[in-house]
């Protein structure tokens, strides 16, 4: 859309418009919540979409306490306990964007296993960018069957 033309002469516009949250922002934010080893994280303005439910279930499947308050468009995450380092295949397999849990899991646990999402192969979809980024930070990435395994004693910042 290039422009919106509003006609009305001398009639003044008034009212409110609700701006819905963006799925492409909420999905990685939900993955990032698993980094918080203390306290609870609340994400607001969460759109009620199937991909958000899928990521909710991915995080929940890591033994993280996740509550989706649909009425308030809000998700509260408590990742303070011991979490798993293997993402649940049944949900990861449904959404390619679920690869975004690999980095936070690796950073927190030093080890992470995530299945290839949606049948993707390395290089054919943008997930290779995630893997190359983690390798640049010092992770060792291996692929066995349909699983991606990442290990690192400690991730290190880089400019490459």
């Amino acid at each position: 859309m290039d422009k919106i033309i509003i006609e009305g002469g001398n009639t003044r516009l008034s009212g409110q418009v609700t701006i819905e949250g963006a799925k492409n922002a909420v999905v990685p934010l939900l993955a990032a919540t698993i980094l918080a080893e203390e306290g609870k994280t609340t994400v607001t303005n969460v759109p009620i979409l199937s991909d958000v439910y899928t990521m909710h279930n991915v995080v929940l499947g890591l033994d993280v306490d996740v509550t989706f308050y649909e009425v308030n468009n809000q998700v509260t995450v408590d990742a303070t306990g011991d979490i798993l380092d293997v993402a649940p295949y049944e949900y990861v397999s449904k959404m390619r964007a679920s690869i975004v849990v690999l980095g936070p899991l690796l950073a927190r646990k030093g080890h992470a296993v995530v299945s290839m999402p949606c049948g993707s192969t390395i290089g054919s979809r943008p997930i290779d960018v995630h893997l190359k980024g983690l390798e640049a930070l010092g992770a060792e990435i291996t692929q066995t069957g349909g699983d991606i395994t990442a290990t690192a004693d400690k991730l290190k910042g880089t400019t490459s």
Side-chain angles (χ1 to χ4, degrees):
M1 173 186 308
D2 294 329
K3 59 184 171 181
I4 297 175
I5 299 173
I6 300 172
E7 296 179 11
N10 293 329
T11 305
R12 185 179 186 102
L13 292 176
S14 66
Q16 296 180 347
V17 176
T18 301
I19 305 299
E20 183 140 337
K23 172 194 77 161
N24 290 342
V26 169
V27 166
L29 280 172
L30 288 176
T33 63
I34 64 179
L35 288 168
E37 295 183 61
E38 297 178 11
K40 293 182 181 181
T41 305
T42 301
V43 181
T44 59
N45 201 18
V46 176
I48 300 175
L49 300 169
S50 63
D51 283 354
V52 174
Y53 284 108
T54 299
M55 184 53 79
H56 166 273
N57 287 324
V58 168
V59 176
L60 192 63
L62 295 168
D63 275 352
V64 174
D65 183 22
V66 185
T67 307
F68 194 165
Y69 301 99
E70 296 169 7
V71 174
N72 300 335
N73 294 83
Q74 180 176 305
V75 175
T76 300
V77 181
D78 182 350
T80 57
D82 189 28
I83 66 172
L84 301 176
D85 61 358
V86 179
Y89 172 78
E90 69 180 290
Y91 299 112
V92 170
S93 64
K94 294 180 180 182
M95 182 176 67
R96 187 172 13 123
S98 59
I99 191 71
V100 299
V101 299
L102 185 63
L105 271 181
L106 177 61
R108 176 153 174 191
K109 301 288 287 182
H111 180 265
V113 179
V114 177
S115 295
M116 293 295 287
C118 297
S120 295
T121 57
I122 294 177
S124 68
R125 296 286 184 124
I127 69 161
D128 64 324
V129 174
H130 294 275
L131 304 181
K132 287 177 184 176
L134 289 171
E135 286 176 329
L137 295 172
E140 182 180 319
I141 307 289
T142 57
Q143 182 183 1
T144 307
D147 290 336
I148 300 166
T149 301
T151 56
D153 290 330
K154 186 174 181 178
L155 297 174
K156 303 174 290 276
T158 184
T159 58
S160 60

